[in-house]
Amino acid sequence: MGESVLPKYSRSRAEVLSRSLGDVFLVPGQGVNPYRSMESHFLAQNRTVRRVLSVVDSVASEHGYPAVTDLVLGRKSPSVQQDGAEQLATYASSVAMLALLRERGTYPSAIVAQSMGEIAAWVAAGAHSVESGAHAVCFLNDAHAAHPCEGGLVIAATDEEGAKNLIRRVGSPDLVIAGLNTARQTLLSGGEEAVGSLLALVDQPGVPRLRRLSVPYATHHPRLEPIARQFESALRTLPMGPPQVPVYSIVGRRWYADADADADAFYRSLADCVIKPMYLREALEQFSANRPERFIELGAGDNMTRATRIVLRGSSTIAPLARDIFWLSSFMGSSAVSGSQS
């Protein structure tokens, strides 16, 4: 699939945040069920959507994974045996929404990427094709299949110190902080036993609201090192061009590619999304002094835009696939019509 190429785009944090910002794309990872995310007549008939989903399906088939078009468009329900489908559907909904925005003439001035969303973010930045990104998602699925890891992610309505208290109450070293979303929202990750013990605390005094996310395994966990390294090795086989806009990783906690970046650091950082925590609040706070015109979320839900409204109060946010279909049709305007089947 070609020789890997280091992204040549070089922007320091100061350079990115000192200029006028239009739309900033927020690209989510896992955590929201992507099935039926594009369920509507006009999206199902849109040529651009169908073309993008077809590319993802073709790559999925090469790797032995199920097609996701009917799942994303709500034409059928997923089977519990369809390993890898949720990750591919998450990616597919993001890149299909990206294609619709491009068709509308909406492009980002910067991109903030969350975990597995970094794959779709590099497509949005012009560094990867939809096809290469789909291969990357399949590589991640392959790595998880080779090193099975049960468990999951839980979102807790508390700060970092409160999350540490929950870990102490559970008493398992397998439960770790996986992400800091806002001042009052923290992610915890662990194996099935640790997650079960955490959720068993839900009715006890002083325990914050807990909710298990739609992620079929533990992630952002240090014991997943074998998965990260296999994923990194496979990523190096993918071609990559220079991104056209800067991308910020909330796991790597940096803008890519900074002047000091090298190929090893880049691929290692992308793979480290499997084992290291996320810092969404920290990423958003960078925009405090220089607010973009809009934050637009590319994905099935609105977790990132909701966090943005909490961290950056008064910010303009849009999560097109989380709105009702009449609003979405109005937002897309003529592009939804021009891209439809005639």
Side-chain angles (χ1 to χ4, degrees):
M1 279 176 286
E3 182 180 356
S4 60
V5 179
L6 174 68
K8 296 181 175 62
Y9 194 97
S10 180
R11 288 283 185 185
S12 68
R13 176 181 181 276
E15 286 179 295
V16 174
L17 299 177
S18 64
R19 59 198 179 103
S20 177
L21 294 171
D23 291 328
V24 169
F25 285 2
L26 305 174
V27 191
Q30 300 180 75
V32 174
N33 189 333
Y35 302 135
R36 310 176 76 93
S37 59
M38 305 191 86
E39 182 184 23
S40 76
H41 177 72
F42 90 78
L43 290 177
Q45 296 300 314
N46 185 278
R47 285 194 298 266
T48 299
V49 170
R50 295 202 317 272
R51 183 174 64 251
V52 170
L53 296 181
S54 176
V55 171
V56 177
D57 284 348
S58 178
V59 173
S61 178
E62 287 183 42
H63 290 262
Y65 293 107
V68 297
T69 292
D70 287 345
L71 300 175
V72 171
L73 296 179
R75 292 171 174 164
K76 71 177 185 180
S77 299
S79 164
V80 292
Q81 284 78 35
Q82 289 181 308
D83 292 339
E86 185 168 333
Q87 294 72 31
L88 283 160
T90 296
Y91 169 77
S93 62
S94 290
V95 291
M97 190 66 238
L98 168 68
L100 283 175
L101 290 171
R102 286 175 172 172
E103 193 173 70
R104 186 180 182 270
T106 302
Y107 293 86
S109 56
I111 301 168
V112 176
Q114 180 185 53
S115 186
M116 195 193 89
E118 287 200 26
I119 299 171
W122 286 103
V123 176
H128 270 317
S129 66
V130 172
E131 180 181 6
S132 289
H135 281 294
V137 177
C138 291
F139 290 155
L140 179 60
N141 284 341
D142 291 344
H144 275 282
H147 307 279
C149 178
E150 39 71 53
L153 281 177
V154 175
I155 192 166
T158 187
D159 59 12
E160 183 176 8
E161 190 55 41
K164 290 177 180 178
N165 287 334
L166 288 172
I167 291 172
R168 285 192 285 269
R169 291 179 70 165
V170 169
S172 170
D174 191 41
L175 188 65
V176 300
I177 291 177
L180 303 174
N181 285 353
T182 71
R184 299 291 299 171
Q185 189 181 90
T186 305
L187 291 170
L188 295 119
S189 178
E192 200 59 46
E193 182 177 349
V195 167
S197 297
L198 172 63
L199 294 174
L201 299 175
V202 68
D203 293 324
Q204 295 188 18
V207 174
R209 187 170 65 255
L210 302 173
R211 177 169 60 90
R212 187 166 186 165
L213 297 180
S214 178
V215 180
Y217 39 62
T219 186
H220 299 284
H221 197 294
R223 69 179 169 89
L224 306 185
E225 182 74 25
I227 295 174
R229 300 289 70 87
Q230 178 175 327
F231 182 39
E232 177 186 351
S233 178
L235 284 171
R236 293 175 182 275
T237 68
L238 291 175
M240 173 176 281
Q244 304 304 304
V245 293
V247 177
Y248 185 85
S249 165
I250 71 171
V251 174
R253 305 169 83 176
R254 63 183 293 179
W255 290 98
Y256 288 102
D258 287 340
D260 63 342
D262 58 49
D264 285 340
F266 171 74
Y267 287 106
R268 184 168 56 250
S269 179
L270 186 55
D272 279 351
C273 289
V274 175
I275 58 175
K276 292 185 177 180
M278 302 176 286
Y279 298 88
L280 178 57
R281 179 186 179 187
E282 178 181 284
L284 295 171
E285 285 175 341
Q286 297 180 94
F287 298 99
S288 296
N290 183 21
R291 300 285 180 98
E293 291 182 15
R294 293 181 301 187
F295 290 93
I296 301 178
E297 184 161 353
L298 306 184
D302 63 349
N303 286 347
M304 293 185 78
T305 46
R306 283 191 285 115
T308 300
R309 291 194 296 273
I310 292 171
V311 176
L312 301 174
R313 295 189 182 278
S315 292
S316 175
T317 65
I318 301 174
L321 294 181
R323 300 292 193 102
D324 68 74
I325 194 58
F326 299 106
W327 182 93
L328 180 57
S329 180
S330 175
F331 171 71
M332 295 310 302
S334 61
S335 69
V337 178
S338 65
S340 295
Q341 183 176 1
S342 55

